[in-house]
Amino acid sequence: MFGYMGKILRVNLTTGEIKVEELKEEDAKEFIGGRGLATKLLLEEIDPKVDPFSPENKLIFATGPLTGTTAPTGGRYMVVTKSPLTGFIASSNSGGFFGPELKFAGYDFLIVEGKADHPVYISIKDEDVEIKDASHLWGKRVGETTDKLLEEFGDKKARVACIGPAGEKLVRFANIMNDKHRAAGRSGVGAVMGSKNLKAVVVRGTKQVELADKEKFMSVVKEKIKKIKENPITGGGLPQYGTAVLVNIINENGLYPTYNFQTGVFKYAYEQSGEALAAKYLVRNHPCFACPIGCGRVSYHPAVGITEGPEYESIWALGATCGINDLASIVIANHLCDEFGLDTISTGGTLAAAMELYEKGIIKQEELGDAPPLRFGNSEVLHYYIEKIALREGFGDKLAEGSYRLAESYGHPEYSMSVKKQELPAYDPRGAEGHGVTYATSNRGGCHVRGYMISPEILGVPVKLDPHDVSEEKAKWVKIFQDLTAVIDSSGLCLFTSFALGADDYAEMLNAATGFDYTTDEWLKAGERVWNIERIFNLKAGLVPEKDDTLPKRFLEEPMPEGPNKGHVVKLHEILPKYYKLRGWDEKGYPTEEKLKELGLDKYY
Amino acid sequence: MVKVRVFATLRGIVGKSELEVQADTVGELLEKLYNEYPKMKKELEKGAVILVNGKNIEHLEKLNTKLKDGDVVSIFPPVGGG
């Protein structure tokens, strides 16, 4: 199989059994790889109703056909499992170098099953796969764990994906860190890893990805790299300022969520922008495998030394939504999240909800004891509670459950700015209606990378859509973005390529790599299939669209108080029915039999 | 006078983040800026996001969007991230 290694590595931590299986070509053709194919395998292999922390849940490390190739940004992989945060499908994407190395070792997928009776790690050197004791690493932070494992492994070229203390303690938004600072960040995939007593996966491979038409592939790739380098976003703003270049534009547009989304304008945004980060803390860029963009930041702050990031989302989550303007504190907080293995978005989102609950008198100081008061703008809170959350100590134990469970425990779930219990990212949908629909319908809950409508609604790429329009045209773009994103995620590429490339470009690269002769529309159809199989997983896990495809009440009932979007609420009730219809789902949001037959998915539902 | 804020790569061209310009429309404002900072035109030819008081001129009257004293015009070269 070209583009694929053709193998699935299956490791059962309960029995110690390790086996290698063939990857089926028909599966690859239908679900591409990565996010899509891993969801299909998970749906077939587990009961979607299973407790995410039980040994019956599985953890799938999944690459795509372009992972490990020279395709621009071909360094991505996904971690797919059932989420302990949402109770629905989790598929977290990460860059760096771990995904390609897994392929070089000969595997498209690593499926981890069961639960070890003591801390272990999985060691992979091509065909030599072992489950090894990790007792000496339990409790260690990400940096130290990575260094020790590389030393033990005896090959500095190996790559490590591991959890920090947060994953071990089953924090519901713990992530998996690879290459120390790259995160499979969302939905608590690190907590599932911790529930299996799996501290890390170390991998080193010596193989190459075989391509269907090497010459054609090289020529197509060269052309796409040129497009990316010539594009002003991927060749200009992103390399120069990183993802944080967004801070100012989102704030100026009035949708930079501040004080737990109570407003969309932060008067200190300038001080935490990409421009400020570049001037004060940037050391150099750090591209992932095969990336011509290089948005990754290597930063320095005396308190933490050389570190990476912070990214746009992290600056916001550990900044504006907590009312914190001090960029130095944000750099330190971001480093701590990386070291403890915490998702920065959910960490900031949960703290912001706690701050609002505290300032409204719902959380009392007596509960916090000697801990610092949970006031907006208090950067001391950040550093203190990041550690407490990761270790589940004191009030950190309540915060470790995420904003929804926290707010609900006080009888006020409305203060959790989440969808399907997952904290929302850095865009207030009262300033971008289409983006609001992607939040409400995202299969993995509150999320900005399952159809990034900010691109057409705010950045004007690839078309300029009015952010407040709720027409069928807007709903159509939501569907296109969601399906195309599913193709890119499943291929093993980074979503940032989509600022410069279109659906035709991805189809060309995929065909040259795999030898499939799909049209662009057929690849998009595969993306639609991926979207629908995720939906099926969620429905079987207990999703009720009428209840779960929605937004926090704040966006639907509280008009934006200031700025360019003053007076606006999200008109979800107007646009959601149009979206459902375009998806071929019924008026309540359930896929119709006809649509599932068209996609060949009727046997799954 | 209109307050103009420039961002990202434009700051290197203009040498500061804010300036004040007298203009009746966005088009006139840009012409004045291009005369003073010719490199700015080249940078914005690749695409731009221009906001008047936070509202994108694409959804107002584009280059004909009227300006009045005290308005804030924010100019971005093409940017992206997420």
Side-chain angles (χ1 to χ4, degrees):
Chain A
M1 284 177 74
F2 296 112
Y4 303 87
M5 306 312 284
K7 306 280 182 201
I8 297 171
L9 176 61
R10 192 180 288 275
V11 177
N12 188 308
L13 297 177
T14 303
T15 63
E17 188 182 16
I18 296 168
K19 55 183 179 178
V20 177
E21 297 165 5
E22 300 293 317
L23 181 75
K24 292 179 189 159
E25 186 166 340
E26 62 267 30
D27 285 351
K29 280 186 163 174
E30 283 190 5
F31 296 95
I32 308 173
R35 173 180 152 195
L37 186 42
T39 304
K40 184 247 187 200
L41 293 172
L42 193 73
L43 180 61
E44 286 176 341
E45 296 190 15
I46 73 165
D47 176 355
K49 289 200 180 334
V50 75
D51 175 353
F53 288 145
S54 75
E56 285 72 39
N57 193 9
K58 297 189 183 185
L59 187 71
I60 306 180
F61 293 79
T63 69
L66 298 179
T67 309
T69 72
T70 55
T73 74
R76 311 294 298 191
Y77 76 101
M78 307 286 301
V79 181
V80 176
T81 188
K82 180 173 175 179
S83 165
L85 185 65
T86 66
F88 302 125
I89 190 75
S91 48
S92 289
N93 186 287
S94 184
F97 297 82
F98 178 83
E101 202 66 34
L102 185 61
K103 273 185 93 168
F104 300 153
Y107 312 104
D108 298 297
F109 291 77
L110 163 63
I111 302 180
V112 182
E113 305 176 339
K115 177 183 180 178
D117 59 9
H118 66 284
V120 297
Y121 71 93
I122 297 172
S123 165
I124 304 168
K125 290 181 189 172
D126 291 322
E127 288 76 24
D128 181 11
V129 182
E130 291 178 78
I131 301 169
K132 293 189 166 181
D133 180 58
S135 302
H136 59 301
L137 300 170
W138 209 247
K140 302 269 187 263
R141 297 185 188 186
V142 167
E144 187 181 352
T145 300
T146 305
D147 288 339
K148 279 187 186 295
L149 279 171
L150 288 175
E151 197 180 319
E152 277 179 38
F153 196 80
D155 185 343
K156 297 275 186 202
K157 289 181 178 168
R159 299 292 174 179
V160 175
C162 68
I163 55 170
E168 297 171 13
K169 295 284 185 184
L170 310 187
V171 176
R172 286 186 190 271
F173 46 91
N175 58 20
I176 297 173
M177 301 297 298
N178 59 277
D179 305 283
K180 289 188 181 175
H181 292 285
R182 293 282 147 190
R186 306 232 62 198
S187 310
V189 295
V192 174
M193 191 154 155
S195 76
K196 298 189 174 305
N197 274 327
L198 178 62
K199 179 70 177 173
V201 179
V202 193
V203 62
R204 174 77 176 110
T206 57
K207 299 178 178 64
Q208 282 189 334
V209 182
E210 298 296 331
L211 301 162
D213 186 338
K214 197 171 176 183
E215 208 168 302
K216 172 90 185 291
F217 186 76
M218 295 307 287
S219 146
V220 168
V221 160
K222 199 174 161 189
E223 183 222 337
K224 306 313 170 201
I225 290 174
K226 188 165 179 278
K227 272 192 178 181
I228 287 170
K229 285 197 173 285
E230 286 175 353
N231 180 278
I233 296 176
T234 49
L238 266 175
Q240 197 162 344
Y241 297 106
T243 55
V245 74
L246 282 184
V247 171
N248 281 325
I249 195 166
I250 301 303
N251 189 57
E252 291 290 304
N253 273 277
L255 57 153
Y256 193 53
T258 300
Y259 306 121
N260 198 33
F261 289 81
Q262 291 183 79
T263 180
V265 181
F266 189 45
K267 66 179 174 182
Y268 303 111
Y270 285 9
E271 295 168 31
Q272 55 183 245
S273 64
E275 291 90 330
L277 183 70
K280 291 181 180 172
Y281 302 110
L282 178 66
V283 176
R284 60 184 162 84
N285 294 10
H286 186 202
C288 298
F289 178 89
C291 178
I293 305 171
C295 71
R297 310 281 91 180
V298 174
S299 316
Y300 174 79
H301 185 280
V304 296
I306 290 283
T307 185
E308 292 194 22
E311 302 299 327
Y312 168 68
E313 290 294 336
S314 308
I315 286 177
W316 162 79
L318 304 169
T321 201
C322 293
I324 289 165
N325 67 331
D326 169 16
L327 185 54
S329 290
I330 295 169
V331 171
I332 296 165
N334 180 70
H335 179 80
L336 289 173
C337 284
D338 282 3
E339 278 286 89
F340 282 108
L342 285 168
D343 172 34
T344 53
I345 298 177
S346 283
T347 300
T350 301
L351 279 170
M355 287 169 171
E356 189 169 357
L357 288 163
Y358 181 91
E359 294 210 338
K360 287 192 158 62
I362 298 164
I363 294 176
K364 311 280 187 205
Q365 182 64 37
E366 301 90 87
E367 271 193 85
L368 307 181
D370 295 334
L374 281 161
R375 291 204 180 281
F376 285 112
N378 183 352
S379 55
E380 187 192 358
V381 163
L382 266 185
H383 305 155
Y384 177 86
Y385 279 109
I386 286 171
E387 180 168 1
K388 295 296 174 191
I389 291 169
L391 301 176
R392 279 190 178 270
E393 288 176 355
F395 197 72
D397 191 38
K398 275 193 170 180
L399 297 168
E401 292 293 295
S403 66
Y404 188 87
R405 289 171 176 84
L406 174 79
E408 192 187 36
S409 74
Y410 288 94
H412 291 282
E414 70 275 17
Y415 294 126
S416 165
M417 303 313 289
S418 60
V419 168
K420 299 179 176 73
K421 300 189 177 75
Q422 177 161 278
E423 289 71 25
L424 289 166
Y427 313 91
D428 192 309
R430 285 171 291 191
E433 292 274 357
H435 203 64
V437 185
T438 65
Y439 281 169
T441 59
S442 162
N443 288 317
R444 71 168 187 178
C447 171
H448 61 297
V449 287
R450 286 294 184 275
Y452 188 62
M453 286 298 288
I454 293 301
S455 193
E457 294 188 295
I458 303 298
L459 309 175
V461 180
V463 293
K464 297 175 171 69
L465 300 181
D466 182 344
H468 294 295
D469 173 50
V470 289
S471 67
E472 190 179 309
E473 177 71 7
K474 180 68 74 66
K476 189 187 84 182
W477 277 101
V478 170
K479 179 180 179 296
I480 290 171
F481 264 60
Q482 289 178 335
D483 292 347
L484 180 63
T485 299
V487 175
I488 300 169
D489 277 346
S490 301
S491 302
L493 298 185
C494 172
L495 291 178
F496 288 169
T497 52
S498 64
F499 287 120
L501 306 180
D504 293 350
D505 298 306
Y506 297 106
E508 264 190 280
M509 285 192 283
L510 279 164
N511 283 340
T514 61
F516 302 161
D517 58 353
Y518 276 16
T519 62
T520 301
D521 284 347
E522 284 166 340
W523 283 115
L524 279 172
K525 185 64 83 181
E528 187 181 9
R529 189 173 294 117
V530 172
W531 192 269
N532 277 272
I533 201 157
E534 289 177 336
R535 184 78 168 180
I536 291 171
F537 183 97
N538 284 355
L539 288 167
K540 288 189 161 186
L543 179 103
V544 179
E546 302 93 307
K547 177 171 74 71
D548 294 314
D549 282 357
T550 190
L551 294 168
K553 264 202 298 191
R554 173 160 286 160
F555 303 137
L556 305 174
E557 296 176 7
E558 289 179 30
M560 179 67 89
E562 60 179 326
N565 300 303
K566 187 176 178 179
H568 281 278
V569 293
V570 178
K571 297 174 196 154
L572 189 66
H573 62 287
E574 283 190 39
I575 189 167
L576 195 60
K578 296 169 189 162
Y579 167 84
Y580 282 159
K581 197 174 172 191
L582 284 162
R583 275 249 164 258
W585 299 351
D586 68 18
E587 68 279 4
K588 287 184 173 174
Y590 293 83
T592 59
E593 199 179 336
E594 191 186 359
K595 175 53 77 176
L596 293 180
K597 276 191 176 153
E598 178 195 317
L599 296 169
L601 295 178
D602 46 314
K603 58 181 175 287
Y604 295 101
Y605 187 62
Chain B
M1 295 290 266
V2 173
K3 186 188 278 188
V4 181
R5 294 176 182 162
V6 296
F7 297 91
T9 48
L10 299 178
R11 287 191 177 173
I13 294 168
V14 175
K16 50 191 166 184
S17 57
E18 277 191 17
L19 58 161
E20 291 203 329
V21 179
Q22 179 65 52
D24 293 331
T25 65
V26 172
E28 188 189 333
L29 176 91
L30 286 179
E31 281 309 314
K32 286 189 173 179
L33 288 172
Y34 292 162
N35 280 335
E36 195 162 350
Y37 309 103
K39 281 186 183 168
M40 196 169 172
K41 184 173 187 183
K42 200 175 169 207
E43 191 71 4
L44 295 181
E45 273 171 353
K46 302 173 200 164
V49 174
I50 300 172
L51 312 174
V52 176
N53 301 325
K55 292 188 193 299
N56 196 321
I57 61 163
E58 287 299 323
H59 314 302
L60 300 171
E61 290 177 64
K62 298 189 170 45
L63 292 177
N64 295 325
T65 303
K66 300 265 187 305
L67 296 173
K68 60 179 188 311
D69 272 1
D71 279 348
V72 177
V73 178
S74 308
I75 309 178
F76 295 84
V79 294

